[in-house]
Amino acid sequence: MRAGTTEEDGRIALIQSDIWIGFPRAEQVLDRLQGMIEAPRQTRMPGLLVHGASGIGKTMIARNLSRKYAPEYDPASGITRTPLLLLQAPPAPDERRFYLHILAAVGAPATALSARAQNVASLEVRVIALLRDLGLRMIMIDEVHNLLAGTHREQRRFLNVLRYLSNELEVSLVCLGVSEAVDAIRGDIQLARRLDEHHLPNWRDDAEFSDMIQTLIAAMPLEKKSNLKVKSLKQILALSGGVTSRIFALIKDLSIDAIVTGEECITDDAIAKWTPVWSRHANAHRRLEKSGG
């Protein structure tokens, strides 16, 4: 193993940072969302429910769009225009907590409000007024499956809040969550009718997966080209379960190893020998137990 250099450390830091890879299935969702946010206001704004396995890439897509439509200060009006508001659903379907979360997200925390002004009705009025002034076009709710932690009645009330915000502000509503949340969303017929569904499936052994892997590896700051055999691609798919976040973690790990060892490319042999970090720790722990350590 070589001693690290400043240049190597910089490349490793780049690999460890968030990397956006515009593969077709992600770009398809982004294009659709961008069309929604640019659409003219209407009585019933279009909505979308993006669902799939945990780690499949929903949050990555949401954050990419959020960066594209970041808040901008308008010196003429003295107002920060916020076309897109990205929120994470509270751990349970709690209206009050959700409104407080919105206030914090737009830089208007409720700490200065009196206890009386923090009841649900007062918070609702304040949130609507603030969001209307921001020129909002879209509300994105990530981890919407959190509503499953509540009772059926609490779920319905929370869904009513989402529908109300969309109607009152004439903004598009986008929900992202695991597929188990789909049935909960469908429990509100009116909301379900306005939310088209887009499923992000796990990756499969096909040309799309192969192209994605090649694009991802090409984005790694390695000095040599990685020429992998089909067997290695199948191994990556098996190790990751076809989950995007696991695939990214695997390729990043292999890329860092390639820099540290001086190999400067991902090899078939490295993939064959690769094991998840948690598996390595488990094996080391078992060896310690056997040795009495």
Side-chain angles (χ1 to χ4, degrees):
M1 183 177 295
R2 303 183 303 174
T5 66
T6 302
E7 185 269 338
E8 288 174 354
D9 291 343
R11 287 193 290 151
I12 290 173
L14 180 62
I15 292 172
Q16 292 173 331
S17 64
D18 286 337
I19 297 176
W20 169 257
I21 303 297
F23 42 87
R25 63 163 58 181
E27 293 291 350
Q28 180 185 11
V29 179
L30 275 174
D31 288 345
R32 188 170 184 181
L33 292 173
Q34 187 164 333
M36 290 168 58
I37 203 172
E38 298 290 350
R41 294 189 188 277
Q42 49 191 292
T43 304
R44 295 189 57 156
M45 295 293 287
L48 186 65
L49 169 61
V50 182
H51 60 94
S54 177
I56 203 63
K58 304 179 294 296
T59 300
M60 179 177 63
I61 292 171
R63 289 179 178 173
N64 183 272
L65 188 71
S66 181
R67 285 191 292 268
K68 186 176 294 186
Y69 290 94
E72 291 185 358
Y73 178 71
D74 181 2
S77 63
I79 296 175
T80 299
R81 298 294 179 185
T82 307
L84 170 61
L85 183 60
L86 174 59
L87 303 165
Q88 182 171 313
D94 184 313
E95 299 165 72
R96 182 176 178 278
R97 181 183 290 184
F98 184 56
Y99 283 134
L100 291 173
H101 185 33
I102 292 177
L103 291 176
V106 299
T111 51
L113 298 178
S114 65
R116 184 175 181 180
Q118 292 191 35
N119 62 56
V120 173
S122 298
L123 289 172
E124 177 186 292
V125 172
R126 180 171 173 79
V127 164
I128 290 293
L130 280 171
L131 295 186
R132 185 172 283 124
D133 289 341
L134 294 177
L136 198 64
R137 307 287 303 183
M138 176 182 287
I139 297 177
M140 299 188 77
I141 312 295
D142 197 10
E143 308 287 346
V144 75
H145 48 264
N146 286 348
L147 64 88
L148 297 173
T151 64
H152 179 70
R153 182 174 179 275
E154 290 170 335
Q155 292 177 29
R156 292 296 299 273
R157 287 179 63 88
F158 188 77
L159 293 174
N160 283 339
V161 169
L162 298 184
R163 180 158 44 84
Y164 171 73
L165 289 175
S166 177
N167 289 342
E168 189 68 17
L169 297 168
E170 293 185 342
V171 298
S172 293
L173 176 65
V174 177
C175 296
L176 307 102
V178 299
S179 296
E180 286 80 358
V182 175
D183 290 336
I185 295 290
R186 289 173 181 167
D188 186 312
I189 298 176
Q190 295 183 57
L191 184 61
R193 284 175 179 170
R194 68 177 57 188
L195 291 183
D196 292 335
E197 294 182 18
H198 187 104
H199 179 236
L200 287 173
N202 287 25
W203 294 92
R204 297 181 298 176
D205 184 11
D206 54 19
E208 184 185 22
F209 174 70
S210 177
D211 290 343
M212 188 272 286
I213 292 296
Q214 293 179 41
T215 302
L216 178 57
I217 292 177
M220 298 294 108
L222 299 176
E223 295 178 355
K224 299 178 183 177
K225 185 177 180 180
S226 303
N227 297 307
L228 300 178
K229 297 178 181 178
V230 173
K231 181 180 179 180
S232 293
L233 297 182
K234 293 180 181 294
Q235 180 73 358
I236 292 173
L237 187 64
L239 288 167
S240 66
V243 176
T244 308
S245 61
R246 294 179 184 173
I247 295 170
F248 273 51
L250 188 156
I251 296 300
K252 286 185 173 188
D253 197 17
L254 289 169
S255 298
I256 291 173
D257 283 346
I259 291 175
V260 172
T261 61
E263 191 73 39
E264 289 297 342
C265 67
I266 298 175
T267 64
D268 295 307
D269 186 53
I271 293 174
K273 295 178 180 178
W274 187 88
T275 55
V277 173
W278 57 89
S279 176
R280 298 173 208 167
H281 291 168
N283 290 336
H285 183 66
R286 282 194 290 269
R287 286 195 297 270
L288 283 171
E289 287 182 336
K290 289 181 179 179
S291 64

